[in-house]
Every structure is written in structure tokens, then in C-alpha cells.
Amino acid sequence: MKFHSCFSFCSSFPNSRPAISTISTGEQKHGNLQIFSSRELEIATHDFSSSNKVGEGAFGSVYMGQLKNGSIVAVKVLSVELESMRGEREFISELAALSDIRHENLVKLQGCCVDGANRYLVYDYMENNSLTQTLLGKEQNRMKFSWEARRNISFGVARGLAYIHEEVKPHILHRDIKASNILLDKDFTPKVADFGLSRILRDNTSHVSTRVAGTLGYLAPEYALSGHLTRKSDVYSFGVLLLEIISGRSAVDFDLELGEHFLVQKAWEAYNENKLLQIIDPILIMNFLEEEEEEDALRFLIVGLLCVQEIAKLRPQMSTCVKMMVNEIDIKDIQICQPGCVSNLMGVKLHHSQTCESSSSSRDATYTMSTRSSVYFK
């Protein structure tokens, strides 16, 4: 297993974290990471059997496996396309972001492996899949999510993002916050996952200039138009996610008569008409919400609307969102400005060499980056 070249490349990769350095072939540990052999992972996943497959995305497939110590893991297999280095960049980004940080609300990267053109990432397995597959699924699934569960999930995601935005140095921009990238463990504790598109924000810099990548419905308008990625871009995506969690609706829905319509716009219209209560998931109202909890749900919706304001500088930082959600900051008198919304791909910043790609996720898109409306510009 030739691993030294991988870590040498990682240390020189733009925006990567400097903690990763060259290691020698045959070592089993590197810092917090376990170095696996491809044979170990083949055994764990029954030779990457289709029956063990739990997800598939734009950059590879994900398999459930059991290691020789008995622990259950998720193994992401990334195949490198030599011309574009697609797969390699996502592999390096995941390593750079997660190799030396730990947080209750971030998915844990256990280790990795390089074998020829294949790159393997090994994570803790998340028993309850992603928010896309559970909360935003059928009505019977939404019944499992009481107000307490949705509040804890929302709060946990906010804490995870506040950690990578403000506590970790250099700061990390996730770049693809969405429901399918929020995983739930056996206790429904949320884990922010899939850092394959993440970027590092160095000290004394306000933004990272990069290709536009993300998912329609979650893209911050200023990022889509300029290619300038900031922490406020992630804040926008979190705001959309927060609206989804409270409403039980997807960021983008399709109706035969109305065509595509966007949750951000619906929430804004309801807010202006003083009918924000109508955005709360009816299942919550019918089965779970007491009067005090209803006020909490409305407050979370308002925080969501504050996060998706069109003017990026008006959006709160993630640490401020956390304080707003626990009512440490009174938001009753805060004025909310009109949200921004990228309703189509016209006007999204492209460079001459860039092309648009889209992909579909499988029925269990755990640990994947792509959904039906994902768009990547390279």
C-alpha cells in the first residue's frame, strides 16, 4: 500500500490543513487516523457487495462494513479521474478538514486508504441515515420527529458549524450544507458530514474564490454570482436547512401546476402576511406542539429567515444563531430583510473551462454529496 505520496500531496494541496504530512508505507496510525489496507476494507464490506451499499453520489459509493474489532463503519470509495483529478480533490478535502478535529456534531473520520486509483475514507456508521431519508421523507417518517427532536437536531447542526467557522483554526467553510449531508446516529444526534467540497479560510482573509459548487435551493446568491465563498455562504445554507427541519418540506418542491417552487420564498411570503405559523409542519402542530413550543418553532423559523437574507453581511454568524435559538438573544425586534434565492442556474458564475454536472442519489444517500438538484461547476 503506497501511502506516502497521498499525504505528500495533501500537505501541498491548496487550502489544505498543514497538520497532514508524509508518512511511511506500512504504518497503521497517523495522528487521529487509522491507516487501513484495501484488503481490510474488502473483508469488512464483503468485497464491496451490492447488499452492503448504502449510498452513491457524484464522487463514489458508500458501503457499510464491519471491521475485525467488531465496529460498524461506513466506507466511502472514491475513484480518481486522472484528467480532472475529480475524486482525488474530494478525498484530500475530507482529510484536510477532518483529520485532526473532533466534535459531537461532526461526522467522525476513522481513517483512510489509498490503493491504485481508488481512495477510501472510513467513518463511524450512522444508523439513522440522513435528514433527507428520514425527516424529509414520508409522513410516517416525520411522525418520528417531535419538536424536541427537531430542536436538538437544529441546535446540533448550528453548534457543529459554529465550531468549524469560529473555533477551529484555520477556519473551515463546508460549502455544501444540506439535508442529505446531515447524518443521524442511533440516538438521532446530528452529524455534519461530507467535507469533500470544503475549503480552508486562512487568517486575515474574508473569502475564498472558487468554482461554484453546491445544491440548487441552498446556494447563497452572492456566492453563485461571484464565486466568493464566505462563512455567510454556509449560514445561508443553514437557514434553508432550518426552514426544512421546522416545516418538514424540501428546499425545492415541484408541482405540476406551479412548477418548481422554493421554501425560502414561501416562508418569506408567510412572514410578510403574518402567517408564519402555516410554515410549521402540520404533524408538529397536530401531535407535539404546546403553546411554548410553538413559540420556539416560530423563533427557529425567524432565525432561518435571518440566515437567508439577500445581503450577506446582515446574516448572523453561526455562534449568534446558536444564542438566538436558545433565546439568549431576543430577536423580536430584529428587522428581517428580503431573502435571496437562486431559482435557476442562469447567472451563476462560470469560467471558460467550467462545465455543469448533475447526479442523482440512491435511496439511501448516506455520506454522499449529490441529490437530484446538485450542481457542480468545474
Side-chain angles (χ1 to χ4, degrees):
M1 180 178 62
K2 297 179 181 179
F3 221 96
H4 60 283
S5 59
C6 164
F7 282 91
S8 295
F9 178 40
C10 183
S11 63
S12 62
F13 185 71
N15 295 322
S16 65
R17 297 173 65 82
I20 300 176
S21 58
T22 302
I23 66 171
S24 302
T25 301
E27 288 188 36
Q28 297 302 305
K29 270 283 193 179
H30 182 71
N32 292 322
L33 294 181
Q34 177 75 30
I35 309 305
F36 294 94
S37 70
S38 57
R39 185 57 187 154
E40 283 181 276
L41 301 182
E42 288 169 0
I43 293 172
T45 60
H46 300 290
D47 290 323
F48 300 101
S49 166
S50 58
S51 62
N52 283 52
K53 195 173 187 177
V54 295
E56 184 171 1
F59 306 112
S61 301
V62 183
Y63 299 84
M64 182 178 69
Q66 184 172 13
L67 300 177
K68 59 184 178 182
N69 64 7
S71 62
I72 306 298
V73 295
V75 182
K76 180 190 286 186
V77 182
L78 297 164
S79 296
V80 176
E81 296 178 1
L82 295 179
E83 290 185 4
S84 65
M85 293 304 290
R86 181 177 165 182
E88 183 83 348
R89 290 182 178 274
E90 282 62 40
F91 177 75
I92 297 300
S93 291
E94 291 266 359
L95 287 177
L98 295 175
S99 63
D100 59 353
I101 62 173
R102 294 288 183 267
H103 189 276
E104 179 186 9
N105 298 116
L106 302 181
V107 68
K108 181 181 178 182
L109 179 64
Q110 289 196 18
C112 53
C113 169
V114 169
D115 182 17
N118 290 324
R119 307 290 184 263
Y120 304 90
L121 293 164
V122 182
Y123 306 88
D124 285 355
Y125 182 70
M126 297 291 110
E127 291 82 352
N128 284 301
N129 215 298
S130 71
L131 284 178
T132 295
Q133 300 299 320
T134 50
L135 176 61
L136 300 180
K138 298 178 181 178
E139 183 174 314
Q140 62 188 28
N141 290 338
R142 301 204 325 268
M143 285 290 294
K144 301 175 185 177
F145 291 85
S146 65
W147 168 244
E148 181 180 7
R150 299 190 201 209
R151 180 188 61 204
N152 291 341
I153 290 169
S154 303
F155 184 60
V157 175
R159 287 182 65 242
L161 289 177
Y163 176 72
I164 65 172
H165 279 189
E166 302 170 39
E167 297 181 45
V168 170
K169 290 187 178 181
H171 307 309
I172 300 173
L173 309 179
H174 186 280
R175 202 180 175 205
D176 199 22
I177 294 297
K178 59 183 177 183
S180 62
N181 284 340
I182 306 302
L183 308 179
L184 305 172
D185 69 9
K186 65 181 186 304
D187 299 318
F188 288 88
T189 300
K191 311 284 184 177
V192 178
D194 212 323
F195 284 74
L197 294 178
S198 66
R199 291 292 181 267
I200 300 301
L201 185 66
R202 297 294 179 187
D203 292 339
N204 302 318
T205 58
S206 61
H207 69 273
V208 176
S209 293
T210 180
R211 63 186 172 93
V212 177
T215 303
L216 192 63
Y218 296 91
L219 278 174
E222 76 284 350
Y223 170 48
L225 293 174
S226 70
H228 288 180
L229 179 72
T230 71
R231 283 174 281 195
K232 295 299 181 73
S233 307
D234 277 354
V235 171
Y236 179 95
S237 301
F238 171 76
V240 177
L241 177 69
L242 190 54
L243 296 176
E244 287 185 301
I245 293 171
I246 309 307
S247 70
R249 309 181 192 187
S250 297
V252 184
D253 279 328
F254 183 81
D255 184 276
L256 289 176
E257 295 182 2
L258 299 176
E260 283 190 327
H261 49 100
F262 295 80
L263 180 57
V264 166
Q265 294 173 339
K266 281 186 168 292
W268 177 246
E269 291 168 4
Y271 174 77
N272 279 330
E273 296 170 3
N274 201 27
K275 296 179 180 178
L276 199 53
L277 188 65
Q278 294 180 0
I279 298 298
I280 299 176
D281 190 340
I283 289 177
L284 274 181
I285 294 176
M286 289 187 296
N287 297 282
F288 299 113
L289 286 185
E290 303 291 341
E291 183 176 348
E292 183 176 338
E293 293 173 328
E294 187 177 286
E295 292 180 4
D296 286 343
L298 288 172
R299 182 171 66 253
F300 276 43
L301 289 176
I302 291 174
V303 173
L305 286 172
L306 286 169
C307 290
V308 298
Q309 292 177 102
E310 185 172 21
I311 301 174
K313 68 180 181 180
L314 297 180
R315 300 172 203 153
Q317 292 183 327
M318 286 309 310
S319 59
T320 303
C321 289
V322 171
K323 293 178 181 178
M324 289 176 170
M325 292 162 71
V326 297
N327 212 17
E328 289 183 11
I329 295 178
D330 189 355
I331 61 175
K332 290 180 181 178
D333 297 324
I334 297 180
Q335 183 178 359
I336 305 176
C337 294
Q338 180 176 334
C341 184
V342 181
S343 59
N344 60 64
L345 302 182
M346 300 301 294
V348 172
K349 184 175 179 60
L350 296 173
H351 297 293
H352 294 302
S353 62
Q354 293 175 327
T355 59
C356 175
E357 303 176 40
S358 64
S359 57
S360 299
S361 60
S362 67
R363 57 184 175 83
D364 293 312
T366 312
Y367 297 90
T368 66
M369 289 187 290
S370 62
T371 65
R372 176 182 58 83
S373 54
S374 293
V375 288
Y376 300 93
F377 299 88
K378 292 186 180 260

